[in-house]
Amino acid sequence: MSSPYTAKEVLHKRDRALSARTIPVAVHAKDRHMNSMVWLPPAAHWKNLRKVSATHMFTAQRLDASRALRRKKVQELLDYVLESCSKGQAVNIGQAVFTTSLNLISNTFFSIDLSHHHSEFSQSFSDITRGVLEEAGRPNFADYFTILRVIDPQGCQKRLKNYYEMLFHIFDGIINKRTQSSDVSYMSTTASRDFLDSLLDLAKDYNSEFSMLDLKHMLLVSTFSA
């Protein structure tokens, strides 16, 4: 088993097949396994999405530019806690931190707050993201018995599809509002351009291999950082 021939077969000829992860059947909802950088094999499409992330999301310039934003959102969290304490109100720390993280990510990508500490949207969004993670990680008979994949006896894929559609509905609203915006000065100012602007430019470029579907699936990945 430790012969040079075996090592060549494992590490060179069949490296992708042996290193590929098992994709849960539930993740096939909305063709997530074919469009997400998380589940794609390390082929051309995956490399293209990885390049987009490295070039437009994790650049040193963009991370440095968000430093003031991070401080602002932490200060808003502290102000909310102090305000609640002064009124004698209990504070759900977990929910407050989630709201802060969600707004930090949404401001980095969309330049808007998706939620507020006094709104119920943050709880709804938290329930959706938690539901996605639970369904994707839930033990599923269809993962072990191929014949059950079409039936989806436990309904994991169906529920996960519903969660994805909820998130895509939110993203579609943000994208449509951005693309229909008549504020030319905002769209043309380099300093104000955010991650969504960069991805929309890529998706509109006919020579680019990046599509609107790729854009929404990349935004979907970003939501689980909250």
Side-chain angles (χ1 to χ4, degrees):
M1 293 298 292
S2 60
S3 67
Y5 171 78
T6 303
K8 185 177 181 180
E9 286 289 319
V10 173
L11 301 176
H12 181 64
K13 292 185 177 181
R14 307 181 187 275
D15 55 328
R16 290 187 179 180
L18 295 174
S19 64
R21 67 179 66 187
T22 300
I23 302 177
V25 174
V27 177
H28 288 229
K30 302 290 289 186
D31 291 331
R32 179 87 175 129
H33 64 298
M34 298 172 58
N35 298 283
S36 172
M37 186 169 55
V38 176
W39 301 107
L40 281 169
H45 193 191
W46 176 83
K47 291 180 180 179
N48 183 48
L49 295 179
R50 184 173 179 270
K51 181 180 178 181
V52 170
S53 298
T55 304
H56 298 280
M57 187 187 301
F58 299 113
T59 61
Q61 181 181 2
R62 189 174 295 278
L63 293 176
D64 289 340
S66 64
R67 183 180 303 172
L69 175 62
R70 293 195 294 271
R71 291 178 177 174
K72 178 182 178 182
K73 293 306 168 185
V74 171
Q75 186 59 51
E76 289 178 358
L77 172 62
L78 295 176
D79 292 342
Y80 168 70
V81 173
L82 289 174
E83 178 187 356
S84 300
C85 291
S86 65
K87 296 179 180 179
Q89 299 175 348
V91 178
N92 186 331
I93 296 298
Q95 193 60 42
V97 171
F98 180 85
T99 300
T100 299
S101 300
L102 178 61
N103 286 337
L104 177 58
I105 292 174
S106 66
N107 271 275
T108 301
F109 293 158
F110 314 128
S111 301
I112 61 173
D113 281 338
L114 273 181
S115 184
H116 301 281
H117 289 291
H118 298 287
S119 73
E120 297 181 356
F121 179 82
S122 178
Q123 181 61 51
S124 299
F125 202 94
S126 176
D127 291 341
I128 294 174
T129 55
R130 185 181 296 111
V132 170
L133 296 175
E134 288 179 353
E135 295 302 333
R138 188 188 304 277
N140 189 351
F141 288 123
D143 288 326
Y144 305 99
F145 303 98
T146 308
I147 194 173
L148 297 178
R149 294 185 178 183
V150 179
I151 305 174
D152 189 24
Q154 294 173 243
C156 296
Q157 187 171 343
K158 180 180 179 181
R159 288 191 295 271
L160 197 54
K161 180 181 178 181
N162 291 334
Y163 287 132
Y164 285 157
E165 288 178 347
M166 293 178 189
L167 293 172
F168 283 166
H169 178 72
I170 296 173
F171 298 152
D172 284 336
I174 296 172
I175 293 171
N176 291 337
K177 185 176 181 180
R178 179 66 58 86
T179 55
Q180 295 173 3
S181 174
S182 59
D183 190 352
V184 180
S185 61
Y186 172 80
M187 297 300 291
S188 60
T189 303
T190 303
S192 66
R193 293 175 62 78
D194 54 22
F195 182 60
L196 180 57
D197 288 322
S198 300
L199 294 188
L200 285 173
D201 287 344
L202 280 176
K204 293 176 182 177
D205 185 358
Y206 292 106
N207 295 323
S208 173
E209 297 179 356
F210 188 79
S211 67
M212 289 295 292
L213 186 60
D214 292 327
L215 187 157
K216 288 192 286 187
H217 278 279
M218 185 168 288
L219 294 178
L220 188 60
V221 172
S222 70
T223 62
F224 301 114
S225 302

